[in-house]
């Protein structure tokens, strides 16, 4: 399970806005956080104001789904950002029954992504836009 403390940034883009981006793993299992588990890298409580899932190559079975959300630890599945998101190629924004922004991402918490079934072949990046809480 990939656990990232930083990802490709975080970068500060002014006006108190931070952006963090992470490459996702094409997980073949359904373990909580198996696609990615991201420790809050900012050392403070932040609000996720937007989340963008850029799937450049869809999973081989792109009707398979994944959940992405804020969780207490690296191995807990959460669907508070993306709930039942299909894995076909394209840009995705938060949604589903439970998925929405804004979301509090407290210091010490994780954003996890969990596959509903195999995501073999998927190439994707998750970008989170945050402001200090």
């Amino acid at each position: 399970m990939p656990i990232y403390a930083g990802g490709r940034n975080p970068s500060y883009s002014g006006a108190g806005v931070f952006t963090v981006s992470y490459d996702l793993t094409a997980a073949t299992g359904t373990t909580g956080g198996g696609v990615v588990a991201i420790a809050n890298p900012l050392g403070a409580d932040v609000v996720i104001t937007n989340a963008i899932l850029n799937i450049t190559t869809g999973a081989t079975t792109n009707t398979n789904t994944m959940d992405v959300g804020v969780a207490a630890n690296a191995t807990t599945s959460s669907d508070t950002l993306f709930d039942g998101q299909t894995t076909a190629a394209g840009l995705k924004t938060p949604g589903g029954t439970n998925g929405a922004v804004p979301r509090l991402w407290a210091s010490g918490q994780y954003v996890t992504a969990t596959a509903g079934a195999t995501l073999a072949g998927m190439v994707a990046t998750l970008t989170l836009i945050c402001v200090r809480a």
Side-chain angles (χ1 to χ4, degrees):
M1 159 185 32
I3 299 177
Y4 296 100
R8 283 193 236 150
N9 33 34
S11 64
Y12 178 68
S13 56
V17 178
F18 295 88
T19 302
V20 290
S21 295
Y22 302 88
D23 294 325
L24 302 185
T25 300
T28 56
T30 58
T31 303
V35 177
V36 75
I38 307 160
N40 179 329
L42 302 170
D45 293 357
V46 295
V47 175
I48 299 170
T49 59
N50 200 0
I52 302 161
L53 182 57
N54 183 11
I55 302 175
T56 54
T57 303
T60 304
T61 306
N62 61 28
T63 55
N64 290 348
T65 63
M66 73 173 147
D67 291 333
V68 180
V70 177
N73 58 57
T75 58
T76 298
S77 180
S78 176
D79 61 2
T80 60
L81 293 169
F82 297 89
D83 183 9
Q85 178 62 61
T86 61
T87 55
L91 286 174
K92 318 293 182 177
T93 55
T97 302
N98 299 317
V101 288
R103 289 284 175 199
L104 178 65
W105 187 12
S107 178
Q109 287 187 320
Y110 288 75
V111 169
T112 62
T114 304
T118 183
L119 301 182
M122 184 185 78
V123 176
T125 302
L126 175 65
T127 299
L128 305 171
I129 296 107
C130 309
V131 296
R132 192 116 189 208

